[in-house]
Amino acid sequence: MSDEFKQKASKPTLVMLHGLLGDRHDWAGVSDGLEGVDCLALDLPGHGENHRVQTATFEAFHYWLTDTLVTHGIRRYCLLGYSLGGRLALYHASRQPLDLAALWLESAHPGLATSERPARIAHDERWATRFEQEPIEGVLTDWYQQPVFSDLTEAQRRRQIQRRLANHGPAVANMLRATSLGKQPSQWAWLANTSLPVSYFSGLRDAKFHKLASRLAARAPHLRHITLEGGHNLHFELPEALSQQLNAWYGLLE
């Protein structure tokens, strides 16, 4: 076995988790810029080739991901998750899997206060009902008018809608109900105390999540907050910037 092969084999695999309505191809721009990093982009349950897979809770997803990694023969790994994928990655990391080497979050919420959860569950239920019962194009048109997507241009918004038309509405509804932010256990304390290397990407044009990331960094001094000149969906807008950060971290393992 060559020294180069040994070095590559010793590096953790980068496992990528997309957001709601996305699929594994969303990470193509990031993976194209990686240097000597083995990566695995997964379709989340209810999405892409896994649209028939259902997970009823965050804990069920944790076990699904664990089993999926075993199926792919992956032992040591890092997680990179965007939005919903970041929240799921965060929950999985909080269960302290032995082979997880690092966690990368992009525009991902660490959890609501208990008093805020019922309203969020009701909010997500309204969207789930629409995804379940209405033609998906109309629902997507309204979905991308939400404040969190305000940084998108009209052209970008139309492109996102077209890219998401292949989704199965009832499958999205099931995942939205199961993984509502209102049902997510708070991970603020875990992030403040974990020894796992954690990095958080936020975009300056994403006012809500940039402010959230800044609060999180103040509470979790070991967390590395990486600010980019972008919006909510940084891996779509600035894939090279994410690749550069990942390459630099993996380079430290050499």
Side-chain angles (χ1 to χ4, degrees):
M1 183 182 293
S2 69
D3 289 341
E4 181 180 354
F5 182 83
K6 286 180 181 178
Q7 186 179 70
K8 184 174 180 180
S10 68
K11 293 183 179 181
T13 299
L14 180 63
V15 178
M16 303 171 169
L17 305 178
H18 60 78
L20 189 75
L21 299 168
D23 62 34
R24 66 187 187 278
H25 302 296
D26 290 357
W27 295 108
V30 175
S31 58
D32 286 348
L34 297 177
E35 300 169 358
V37 178
D38 286 332
C39 56
L40 174 66
L42 296 174
D43 285 331
L44 292 179
H47 295 75
E49 293 183 355
N50 288 325
H51 69 270
R52 291 186 176 87
V53 177
Q54 294 187 25
T55 54
T57 63
F58 282 85
E59 184 74 354
F61 173 83
H62 162 67
Y63 286 114
W64 176 85
L65 178 57
T66 300
D67 290 344
T68 300
L69 296 178
V70 171
T71 299
H72 285 274
I74 292 173
R75 290 185 57 82
R76 191 160 176 256
Y77 62 103
C78 299
L79 280 176
L80 168 60
Y82 161 69
S83 193
L84 169 60
R87 296 193 290 112
L88 291 167
L90 177 55
Y91 181 84
H92 176 79
S94 75
R95 302 288 275 110
Q96 303 184 72
L98 293 176
D99 295 320
L100 180 61
L103 174 65
W104 299 76
L105 302 173
E106 177 193 346
S107 308
H109 205 300
L112 295 173
T114 302
S115 61
E116 298 174 310
R117 293 178 189 175
R120 181 54 186 248
I121 291 172
H123 169 274
D124 288 344
E125 175 59 34
R126 288 191 291 273
W127 279 111
T129 299
R130 292 195 62 189
F131 276 113
E132 202 168 45
Q133 299 179 359
E134 299 179 22
I136 195 164
E137 185 169 5
V139 184
L140 290 173
T141 298
D142 292 341
W143 178 266
Y144 284 108
Q145 292 295 331
Q146 294 182 94
V148 73
F149 301 115
S150 62
D151 64 288
L152 294 177
T153 65
E154 283 306 310
Q156 289 173 329
R157 189 172 284 110
R158 286 194 300 271
R159 181 182 173 188
Q160 284 292 79
I161 292 168
Q162 289 300 312
R163 292 175 70 215
R164 303 316 189 198
L165 287 175
N167 276 285
H168 296 250
V172 172
N174 287 336
M175 193 61 171
L176 185 53
R177 289 188 176 106
T179 60
S180 168
L181 179 57
K183 296 179 181 179
Q184 177 183 318
S186 175
Q187 302 296 347
W188 289 83
W190 181 83
L191 284 164
N193 293 290
T194 184
S195 59
L196 183 74
V198 180
S199 301
Y200 193 113
F201 292 106
S202 71
L204 284 174
R205 294 204 316 275
D206 183 5
K208 176 182 176 179
F209 279 86
H210 181 64
K211 181 179 179 180
L212 187 71
S214 299
R215 283 176 52 211
L216 183 58
R219 295 191 190 185
H222 299 296
L223 178 141
R224 190 161 64 108
H225 180 197
I226 303 165
T227 301
L228 299 176
E229 296 283 346
H232 188 67
N233 192 334
L234 295 166
H235 66 276
F236 171 70
E237 189 177 351
L238 301 169
E240 300 89 354
L242 268 68
S243 298
Q244 289 172 5
Q245 290 289 336
L246 292 161
N247 285 329
W249 187 86
Y250 271 87
L252 296 176
L253 302 180
E254 297 178 355

